[in-house]
């Protein structure tokens, strides 16, 4: 039953925070306490899963495949832990960044409601339930995006809401078709029901709808444009939360559904994933080298990482899946750190545009270094976590008959280095012609970035632990029999 | 009967897509509402249309007495309707606020978040 | 725009609808009904009131902020889930503290338990959520004059 507690904790904390939204102290404590409990639960969950195999829980005691099953294998537990760490950092940062006015509207409650949706999506074993958790996180993200909204925020939200609603409806249609063809919605049960039927029109159509839906959620080419339209508009804590979690839920869904439910071998799905991923990686990084604002560059960097991830999932060798999972976790932590740092720059300099900011390295060298480390990690410089992620993906592409993808990964990596180097040169290194000083950096804003930076350095210096977890998660995906038996056998 | 429903789904999707591509925010939302109904109908059809009785169990019985319709698609559609209703209301309110702040409901002119380079 | 007919009718309709909503909520275990439908019936009552007397009167009648009501409802549902875990070790499993099962399998007692708490949570979430949205939209469309200010002005 440990599986159910991340969701219950997130919902409970959201309720507490909402009811205490007029009392600043109480709301802060409840939110922080909830985030700490999440980290503890996630560590316990990962520990249990890695030592004794996948855990499952049947809600209300109704046995699978009739009831709703929550299930955690290594992949889910690993992502739950990353989510909890990101949540903790974002909550600490938001205590300093978010204004009273937005807190009174229920900012912290929405953060925890969003995390409830994310946790639910990672832990559910039922595809309709996955849809419901997607909605929970979608509705909360709508709220977070427009809260205290300015002009740009509302405009970004319109595009975000529009495309995400279409994706939602595609998801629903896909689920409907799948149910019509198989008569079940439990993902472990679907594995058996779909097996050997991949050529049937209804199943392929459903896979197409679901791929479109998850692709749109994870910002895959050609349906990525909502992301750069909206991610730079809200508060930095919000965009860090979105950058670290939302697209990753889409990637997780592709990873789960297109390995457990659908077989990609011998269907048009595998080439579609590889090609879409490759184009996304290139388009994303090209966007990143053209913009002149920190968070807009980073938004395009998200798209390019998503491309690499989806490409690795499409390659679908054990090494490629391990690489994708390793890179996924690394990316969640580093993207959160960089987006939070953009918020810090915004706070001490009043802007994040190249033309208006400069000279941070002269005035506050430590803050500049604090950006440099996760930025180099994103670019894939050893010995940071990003190096191992990129290295594993590169290694997986070398095994393929053609070296085109290897060249592509190298080019994308080079351009990524160029894109973050531009941020470094323009924001931190070049001297500030207008001679404006830095405002002091609040400790609550620096602390979470330091924590995430330590994690990326730690993973970089000692990658074995995360690698072994990713490896066991990939093994669980390659051979889903333990996952299926955990769901189908009554644990009680 | 199934064929008729499938035809209606197709009609709803076509009109929805047409409205969405007009580039006007309000028409986009109308299109979205049509899409959402099409998705609900599609689930309904894929569950199989039948004339079974409602899935209710009479007082004192353990199982329904006569053949009943599959209740799961109905439950799924109900969930989807509720979620769709909430999202549509949110989208309408958002559209109204965005119209007030942008002064236009034409998608091509709504560029506060991503200003054109020459602006 | 106040209508005398609607205003008078709402005084009879509102309590009736609220009582019906409780009844629908209560019978929902084995018969058509339950928290969702019950909540909508209650919303109907409050919407009629807000049409007749204005949104502010409906808000005052409710006393509590609609979205807080929804949060409390969500809390009820979470608690009912945890309740099942505490008693049976299974989240969301139904707990019936007032029902006793005799040796021959027949049950007697009051059918109130964690399921009812969950339903009550849904009931409150529906009332709070739907009213929150409707009131907010109505206030955007037709902003009412702030009665507190005029009242203060009159007193001064």
């Amino acid at each position: 039953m440990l599986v159910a507690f991340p969701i219950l904790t997130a919902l409970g904390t959201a309720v507490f925070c909402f009811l205490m939204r007029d009392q600043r102290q109480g709301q802060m404590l409840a939110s922080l306490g909830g985030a700490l409990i999440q980290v503890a639960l996630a560590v316990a969950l990962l520990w249990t899963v890695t030592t004794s195999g996948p855990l499952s829980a049947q809600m209300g005691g109704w046995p699978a495949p009739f009831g709703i099953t929550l299930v955690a294998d290594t992949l889910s537990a690993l992502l739950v832990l990353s989510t909890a760490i990101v949540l903790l950092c974002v909550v600490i940062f938001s205590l300093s960044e978010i204004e009273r006015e937005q807190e009174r509207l229920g900012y912290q409650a929405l953060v925890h409601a969003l995390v409830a949706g994310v946790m639910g999506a990672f832990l559910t074993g039922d595809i309709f339930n996955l849809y419901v958790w997607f909605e929970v996180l979608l509705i909360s993200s709508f709220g977070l995006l427009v809260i205290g909204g300015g002009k740009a925020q509302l405009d970004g939200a319109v595009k975000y809401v529009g495309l995400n609603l279409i994706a939602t409806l595609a998801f629903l249609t896909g689920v409907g078709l799948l149910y019509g063809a198989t008569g079940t919605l439990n993902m472990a049960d679907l594995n058996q029901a779909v097996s050997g039927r991949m050529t049937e029109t209804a199943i392929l159509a459903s896979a197409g709808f679901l791929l479109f839906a998850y692709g749109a959620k994870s910002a895959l080419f050609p349906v990525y444009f909502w992301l750069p339209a909206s991610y730079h508009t809200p508060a930095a804590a919000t965009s860090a939360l979105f950058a670290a979690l939302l697209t990753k839920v889409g990637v997780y869904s592709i990873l789960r559904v297109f390995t457990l439910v659908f077989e990609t071998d011998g269907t048009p799905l595998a080439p579609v994933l590889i090609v879409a991923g490759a184009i996304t990686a290139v388009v994303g990084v090209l966007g990143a080298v053209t913009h002149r604002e920190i968070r807009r560059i980073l938004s395009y960097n998200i798209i390019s990482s998503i491309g690499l991830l989806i490409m690795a999932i499409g390659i679908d060798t054990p090494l490629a899946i391990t690489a994708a999972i390793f890179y996924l976790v690394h990316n969640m932590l580093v993207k959160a750190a960089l987006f939070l740092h953009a918020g810090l720059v915004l706070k001490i300099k009043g802007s994040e545009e190249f033309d208006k900011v400069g000279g941070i390295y002269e005035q506050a060298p430590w803050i500049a270094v604090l950006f440099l480390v996760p930025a180099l990690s994103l670019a894939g410089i050893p010995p940071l976590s990003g190096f191992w992620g990129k290295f594993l993906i590169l290694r997986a592409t070398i095994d393929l008959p053609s070296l085109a993808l290897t060249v592509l990964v190298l080019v994308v990596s080079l351009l990524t280095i160029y894109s973050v180097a531009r941020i470094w040169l323009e924001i931190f290194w070049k001297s500030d012609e207008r001679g404006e000083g830095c405002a002091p950096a609040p400790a609550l804003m620096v602390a979470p970035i330091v924590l995430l930076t330590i994690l990326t350095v730690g993973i970089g210096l000692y990658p074995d632990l995360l690698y072994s977890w990713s490896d066991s998660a990939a093994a669980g995906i390659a051979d889903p029999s333990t996952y299926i038996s955990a769901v189908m056998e009554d644990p009680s | 009967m199934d064929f008729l429903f499938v035809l209606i789904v197709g009609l709803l999707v076509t009109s929805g897509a047409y409205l969405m591509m007009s580039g006007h925010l309000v028409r986009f939302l109308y299109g979205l509402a049509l899409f959402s109904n099409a998705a609900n109908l599609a689930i309904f059809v894929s569950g199989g249309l039948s004339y079974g009785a409602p899935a209710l169990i009479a007082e004192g019985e353990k199982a329904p007495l006569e053949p009943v319709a599959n209740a799961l698609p109905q439950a799924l559609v109900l969930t989807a309707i509720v979620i769709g209703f909430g999202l549509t209301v949110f989208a309408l309110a958002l559209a109204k606020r965005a119209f007030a702040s942008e002064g236009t409901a034409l998608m091509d002119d709504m560029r506060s978040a991503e200003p054109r380079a020459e602006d | 725009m106040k209508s005398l007919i609607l205003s008078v009718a709402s005084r009879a309709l509102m309590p009736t609808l609220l009582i019906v909503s409780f009844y629908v909520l209560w019978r929902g275990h084995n018969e058509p009904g339950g928290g969702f439908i019950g909540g909508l019936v209650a919303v109907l009552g409050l919407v009629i009131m807000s049409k007749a007397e204005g949104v502010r009167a409906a808000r005052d009648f409710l006393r509590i902020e609609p979205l807080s009501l929804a949060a409390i409802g969500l809390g009820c549902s979470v608690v009912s889930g945890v309740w099942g875990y505490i008693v049976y070790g299974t989240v969301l499993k139904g707990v019936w503290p007032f029902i006793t099962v005799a040796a021959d399998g027949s049950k007697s007692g009051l059918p109130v338990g964690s399921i009812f708490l969950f339903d009550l949570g849904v009931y409150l979430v529906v009332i709070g959520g739907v009213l929150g949205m409707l009131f907010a939209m109505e206030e955007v469309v037709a902003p009412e004059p702030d009665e507190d200010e005029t009242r203060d002005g009159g007193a001064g």
Side-chain angles (χ1 to χ4, degrees), chain C:
Chain C
M1 188 199 72
K2 275 193 180 172
S3 144
L4 184 65
I5 300 171
L6 192 58
S7 182
V8 171
S10 83
R11 270 167 222 193
L13 278 174
M14 226 251 324
T16 319
L17 281 166
L18 281 186
I19 291 167
V20 171
S21 86
F22 287 132
Y23 173 70
V24 171
L25 167 70
W26 183 256
R27 79 201 279 265
H29 294 314
N30 293 319
E31 284 170 278
F36 188 82
I37 314 289
L40 285 180
V41 174
V43 167
L44 214 56
L46 283 152
V47 166
I48 289 179
M49 182 174 183
S50 80
K51 288 287 174 204
E53 315 277 339
V55 173
R56 181 166 290 271
R59 273 192 196 275
D60 287 348
F61 173 81
L62 205 59
R63 280 159 198 268
I64 179 169
E65 175 76 9
L67 288 178
S68 297
L69 201 64
I72 293 170
L74 184 61
C76 286
S77 299
V78 171
V79 168
S80 90
V82 176
W83 190 0
Y85 175 72
I86 292 171
V87 178
Y88 294 114
T90 305
V91 173
L92 284 172
K93 194 167 174 71
V95 186
W96 305 97
F98 304 116
I99 285 195
T100 47
V101 181
D104 61 346
S106 65
K107 295 168 187 161
S108 60
L110 194 63
V112 172
S114 73
I115 309 259
F116 182 74
L117 187 63
F118 188 90
D119 242 7
L120 188 69
V122 174
Y123 180 80
L124 293 177
V125 168
V126 169
I127 297 183
V130 176
L131 280 184
M133 289 192 285
L134 288 179
F135 284 175
M137 290 195 106
E138 202 145 345
E139 280 162 346
V140 170
V141 174
E144 293 182 54
D146 203 331
E147 282 177 29
D148 285 340
E149 266 176 28
T150 49
R151 216 177 288 147
D152 289 347

Side-chain angles (χ1 to χ4, degrees), chain A residues 6-69:
Chain A
I7 302 170
L8 288 176
T9 310
L11 288 175
T13 314
V15 170
F16 263 110
C17 288
F18 194 79
L19 293 180
M20 289 201 284
R21 64 194 190 281
D22 290 329
Q23 298 148 327
R24 193 174 161 76
Q25 296 281 329
Q27 193 188 15
M28 280 163 69
L29 282 177
S31 180
L32 204 58
L36 285 169
I37 294 173
Q38 289 284 15
V39 174
L41 281 173
V43 169
L45 187 65
L46 185 61
W47 172 259
T48 321
V49 167
T50 46
T51 48
S52 58
L55 275 182
S56 72
Q58 319 287 354
M59 293 301 94
W62 297 99
F66 306 110
I68 290 168
T69 311

Side-chain angles (χ1 to χ4, degrees), chain A residues 128 135 139 142 146 151-152 154-155 157-159 161-162 165-166 169 172-173 176 179-180 185 228-229 232-233 296, chain B residues 20 25 28 32 35-36 39-40 43 46 70 72-73 76 80 83 87 90 94 97-98 101-102 110-114:
Chain A
F128 191 79
E135 296 312 300
I139 292 170
F142 290 171
V146 298
K151 202 174 168 187
L154 285 172
D155 182 37
V158 168
K159 282 138 199 179
V161 169
L165 286 185
I166 298 178
L169 293 172
L172 194 60
T173 314
Y179 178 74
L185 291 166
H232 60 287
T233 57
R296 293 185 79 170
Chain B
M20 277 182 175
L25 189 54
F28 178 85
L32 214 54
F35 260 39
S36 134
N40 292 339
I43 294 186
S46 70
N70 184 355
L72 192 63
L76 300 184
I83 292 174
L87 292 179
F90 180 88
L94 178 68
R97 287 280 303 278
S101 88
E102 297 274 327
M110 301 177 73
R111 302 196 69 94
S112 292
E114 292 178 295

Side-chain angles (χ1 to χ4, degrees), chain A residues 70 102 117 146 156 169 182 187 198 242 251 253 271 274 278 342 361 386 411 419-420 429 433 439 488 490:
Chain A
L70 296 184
Q102 299 176 11
V146 298
L169 293 172
T182 61
M187 289 199 273
M198 273 314 288
F242 285 12
V251 175
S253 307
I274 293 178
Y361 183 72
V411 170
S419 73
V420 293
W429 193 254
E433 291 105 20
M488 290 310 203
D490 197 1

Side-chain angles (χ1 to χ4, degrees), chain B residues 60-74:
Chain B
E61 297 290 335
K62 297 273 182 205
L65 296 172
E66 46 189 323
V68 295
N70 184 355
L72 192 63
Q74 304 177 17

